[in-house]
Amino acid sequence: MEIVTTIRREVLTLPAAHLGPDNPLPPLRPLDETHRIEDRDKAGLPRDMARQIGYAPLHSLLPVPVRDGYDRDREPRPVDALVIENDRLRATVLPTLGGRIASLVHLPTGRELLYRNPVFQPANFALNGAWFSGGIEWNIGATGHTTLSCSPVHAARVPAPDGGEMLRLWEWERLRDLPFQVDLWLPDGSDFLYVGVRIRNPHEKPVPTYWWSNIAVPEECRVLAPAEEAYHFGYERRLRRVPVPEYDGVDRTYPPHSTYAADYFYDVPEDRRRWIAALDADGHGLVQTSTDALRGRKLFVWGRGPGGRSWQRWLTEPGTGGYCEIQAGLARTQLEHVRLEAGSEVSWLEAYGPFDAPPEGEWSGALAEAETRLETVLPRADVDAAHAAWQPYADTDPGERLATGSGWGALEVLRAGWKLPGTPFDETTLDEEQTPWLHLLRAGSFPEPSGIRPPGGTLVARHWRDMLETAPATPLTEYHLGIAQWHAGDRAQAERSWERGLRHATAAWPALRCLAVADQEARNPERAADRYARAFDDLCRATGDEGGDWTAVTAALGREAVEALLAVGRTADARSVWRRLDPTTRARGRFRLTEAGLLLAEGRREEARAVFDAGFEVADLREGDEAIGRLWSALTDEPLPERYDFRMRPTP
């Protein structure tokens, strides 16, 4: 039989914002993740669910940097794409953006099965900041959107079980230090895209694991999933069990019926097939199903409230339709992490394709009809068989390389000597980010950089911390060692390392900033403000009028310093920092908001209000952040203007 599946490169041209540089300051503060629940909500939960909610929640982003350098100035820019296609489906994958499937088109009908975002607009939704909406994204690491949302992954051609070709994506997930792969293939004549996923734990100890496949679909639909109850989570941070489909007098399986953003984690019975579908009014749409290892199913809605509408507009072009997300994960909810034993792996198979079924009517009847039709077009046994057929191919060495990801996996493989068949992390992928750590690994010392430059990122896993502890105690080594100790929870020792490094440091600002954060965490805001002021003064002396890497450093440190100084009423010092920021930095929306707060603190209320009236956009406004509304309320009793209303919960 002739195999007609093809894989090819393409370049898409999209209105795209500029990603900009990563934040060069280490993220020392505890993770500000909205998906937390109160202890009272854990009572009465299934025992395994309660255990997994409490199992190793992520407290830090280290060693991953924050990505907050993006803007909202969209212009046509090229985006690399890989297209896998048979005679029935065409999937467009973005290897430089986390391997996202941006589009899935059913060729006989010409229907786009996903919500395809016509622009690339980063927003602050990923664990580390930059994220964009649309398509199918692969979320690994910890509760939230993956840190790889806007990062490249490796890609290559691989033989498929049916004799054709698969598109393999793989990368090293740095929060949990785990390699993973995603294999995409289209059997000849199939209406379904098969996706084989594997996560491996090469370590000698168990590791918490997390996975959710997030599928954006047009929100004018009804979502079907085989459940009579769900766990509802809103931005009030409460988890409660609710009936499906109707809750609080409203059928919540229609996304437009909700007012506020919310998650509905469907409680799929153990013996039921795992699937979820989104169908329009005519009964056309997308279905996702999987082998049983991917047990969870979820609906996310933005809601029809002003905040939800604002976020929808924020993430795309005005006038385009809204979207919701249907999702599938390793646990019942996204609040949970699953234990992956030492030396083990977990794998499953997903299938995505067009689906037709009556969306209306009584819930149990609609589900029964949909399940009957799903069994007809893709029997459950066929999905299990496809998974079994794929597993021997998961270890196959990739062929032609189609995209290159990061060098972090190569560094870890060199360190540990692991053999990871199917996902080679070649030494050729190492770059300047890994170079000093490779030197530490091979020579036992951390090299001093050539010339004056920011200190770079820090590795914090136990093995790297041990190497830093035995390396010659240079100021740069003490700086990195302190960050690794801080991540490990040894804050007293971290502060001692930074203080030792300060004694002989040419540039004092990196360690001073770390010590300032430590003061804030210890609830000593006055000393924190003093250290921030000293750190910013030192940075300005070191850099002078230099731009480049220093612009991002000055902006990041300046923002933190202004906030710390305002917190203790040192408005004159805050103004001094503000004046030394680059004019282009001060013009950014985030800094316009900071300026309004500074003006208010100085008693210049009318000028602060004028900042709002002139208009600004905080490109990196965080999901659930209500800072704009709080500052507005301090200025006036007037209702918050729609352009600034991103509230995702009822007003308290």
Side-chain angles (χ1 to χ4, degrees):
M1 179 177 67
E2 181 183 359
I3 304 298
V4 298
T5 298
T6 61
I7 300 173
R8 66 180 184 274
R9 289 187 174 95
E10 282 191 1
V11 177
L12 307 179
T13 300
L14 297 176
H18 181 53
L19 262 176
D22 291 346
N23 189 315
L25 305 180
L28 300 178
R29 290 187 177 85
L31 191 66
D32 181 22
E33 171 54 39
T34 60
H35 295 86
R36 303 271 193 238
I37 64 170
E38 300 178 16
D39 287 340
R40 60 178 171 172
D41 288 339
K42 295 178 184 178
L45 294 177
R47 189 170 298 177
D48 63 329
M49 184 175 169
R51 182 178 64 250
Q52 289 177 169
I53 287 176
Y55 175 48
L58 193 68
H59 295 295
S60 168
L61 270 180
L62 289 167
V64 178
V66 172
R67 308 202 72 174
D68 61 1
Y70 51 88
D71 56 33
R72 293 187 56 78
D73 298 324
R74 294 192 289 268
E75 60 184 55
R77 289 188 171 96
V79 178
D80 290 337
L82 299 171
V83 177
I84 178 169
E85 181 175 1
N86 67 359
D87 57 338
R88 309 291 295 176
L89 287 175
R90 179 174 65 242
T92 302
V93 180
L94 308 180
T96 60
L97 296 170
R100 179 90 53 109
I101 298 180
S103 170
L104 184 61
V105 176
H106 184 231
L107 297 174
T109 61
R111 293 206 316 261
E112 172 63 69
L113 302 180
L114 306 174
Y115 167 77
R116 180 172 187 170
N117 197 334
V119 307
F120 171 67
Q121 178 55 66
N124 195 353
F125 280 79
L127 284 165
N128 62 332
W131 172 88
F132 66 105
S133 64
I136 304 171
E137 59 176 314
W138 318 113
N139 286 298
I140 182 173
T143 298
H145 292 282
T146 177
T147 61
L148 296 166
S149 293
C150 293
S151 297
V153 297
H154 302 282
R157 299 179 192 268
V158 184
D162 62 357
E165 287 186 320
M166 293 190 292
L167 173 60
R168 174 164 298 163
L169 311 170
W170 74 99
E171 201 24 292
W172 192 271
E173 200 289 309
R174 299 180 67 201
L175 294 177
R176 305 297 196 182
D177 270 336
L178 295 176
F180 71 97
Q181 71 189 78
V182 178
D183 288 355
L184 313 174
W185 81 101
L186 287 165
D188 186 27
S190 174
D191 274 329
F192 285 87
L193 172 68
Y194 286 166
V195 181
V197 183
R198 175 169 64 167
I199 305 172
R200 286 187 276 197
N201 176 12
H203 302 281
E204 296 178 350
K205 61 179 182 179
V207 175
T209 308
Y210 174 93
W211 183 279
W212 281 81
S213 300
N214 289 11
I215 310 133
V217 294
E219 69 177 349
E220 294 292 339
C221 68
R222 191 184 197 192
V223 173
L224 304 181
E228 303 294 332
E229 292 183 301
Y231 292 94
H232 169 271
F233 180 83
Y235 285 80
E236 308 91 337
R237 301 191 180 188
R238 297 297 310 277
L239 184 70
R240 54 176 67 89
R241 195 176 179 91
V242 300
V244 176
E246 189 172 302
Y247 161 53
D248 200 21
V250 177
D251 189 332
R252 306 289 176 168
T253 61
Y254 293 89
H257 288 182
S258 292
T259 303
Y260 295 100
D263 300 325
Y264 293 92
F265 299 104
Y266 295 113
D267 192 7
V268 180
E270 290 289 338
D271 60 341
R272 295 289 288 272
R273 182 177 184 176
R274 268 56 179 161
W275 64 275
I276 190 168
L279 303 171
D280 64 21
D282 295 324
H284 305 310
L286 171 87
V287 67
Q288 186 271 2
T289 187
S290 72
T291 49
D292 288 353
L294 202 65
R295 67 175 299 180
R297 292 299 184 274
K298 170 192 159 182
L299 165 65
F300 167 76
V301 298
W302 282 107
R304 288 291 185 179
R309 295 300 94 189
S310 292
W311 280 117
Q312 293 261 31
R313 290 190 298 269
W314 191 253
L315 295 167
T316 187
E317 291 281 15
T320 58
Y323 76 95
C324 63
E325 290 176 355
I326 56 174
Q327 307 182 12
L330 279 176
R332 284 189 184 92
T333 75
Q334 289 174 332
L335 309 175
E336 302 168 67
H337 298 96
V338 177
R339 182 183 175 99
L340 188 59
E341 297 296 338
S344 69
E345 64 180 50
V346 60
S347 74
W348 61 90
L349 185 123
E350 304 179 47
Y352 297 82
F355 193 54
D356 296 314
E360 307 292 342
E362 184 266 334
W363 181 244
S364 60
L367 289 184
E369 177 64 22
E371 284 188 309
T372 299
R373 294 195 181 200
L374 179 57
E375 188 65 20
T376 299
V377 297
L378 185 62
R380 185 178 188 178
D382 286 5
V383 177
D384 292 335
H387 181 226
W390 165 72
Q391 286 181 300
Y393 290 80
D395 283 348
T396 303
D397 288 334
E400 179 192 1
R401 302 301 173 90
L402 300 172
T404 302
S406 77
W408 295 113
L411 182 66
E412 292 298 335
V413 168
L414 279 173
R415 179 195 63 79
W418 286 317
K419 303 298 181 184
L420 299 169
T423 55
F425 293 96
D426 301 330
E427 195 168 342
T428 56
T429 63
L430 294 168
D431 62 21
E432 64 179 8
E433 287 189 287
Q434 292 84 45
T435 297
W437 299 95
L438 185 62
H439 189 277
L440 176 64
L441 177 65
R442 290 176 168 169
S445 63
F446 200 89
E448 290 293 323
S450 56
I452 299 175
R453 57 187 301 180
T458 301
L459 294 180
V460 295
R462 177 60 186 266
H463 41 267
W464 294 107
R465 187 169 81 249
D466 289 346
M467 283 185 247
L468 288 167
E469 285 177 345
T470 57
T474 66
L476 186 57
T477 302
E478 296 283 14
Y479 165 80
H480 286 297
L481 175 58
I483 295 170
Q485 291 166 332
W486 179 270
H487 177 263
D490 192 350
R491 296 189 171 185
Q493 189 59 56
E495 292 181 51
R496 284 193 286 270
S497 294
W498 292 324
E499 287 166 351
R500 281 197 306 268
L502 271 176
R503 294 171 193 160
H504 305 289
T506 303
W509 67 265
L512 280 172
R513 183 265 175 177
C514 291
L515 288 166
V517 174
D519 289 333
Q520 288 177 321
E521 292 300 305
R523 299 188 179 182
N524 191 340
E526 289 81 9
R527 190 166 65 180
D530 183 61
R531 280 175 162 161
Y532 264 121
R534 290 166 53 201
F536 194 77
D537 288 345
D538 182 73
L539 175 62
C540 291
R541 282 194 298 269
T543 61
D545 296 327
E546 293 187 38
D549 291 341
W550 295 109
T551 301
V553 176
T554 305
L557 183 58
R559 173 181 162 186
E560 291 186 8
V562 168
E563 292 172 353
L565 290 163
L566 287 179
V568 295
R570 291 171 59 175
T571 55
D573 291 331
R575 175 60 67 182
S576 174
V577 172
W578 174 263
R579 289 194 185 102
R580 285 176 283 172
L581 294 175
D582 185 86
T584 58
T585 296
R586 294 200 300 260
R588 289 166 52 188
R590 168 61 67 181
F591 289 85
R592 293 284 285 156
L593 178 63
T594 299
E595 181 185 20
L598 175 56
L599 288 166
L600 179 62
E602 292 172 328
R604 299 156 67 182
R605 183 177 296 271
E606 291 184 2
E607 292 173 75
R609 171 62 186 263
V611 173
F612 278 87
D613 293 341
F616 58 86
E617 291 184 324
V618 180
D620 62 330
L621 186 68
R622 182 68 176 166
E623 172 189 14
D625 189 348
E626 298 177 357
I628 295 177
R630 287 195 299 270
L631 183 54
W632 175 264
S633 296
L635 287 171
T636 177
D637 293 331
E638 297 174 27
L640 182 65
E642 183 179 342
R643 66 182 300 181
Y644 299 123
D645 192 349
F646 292 89
R647 292 172 292 190
M648 300 174 74
R649 59 175 181 163
T651 303

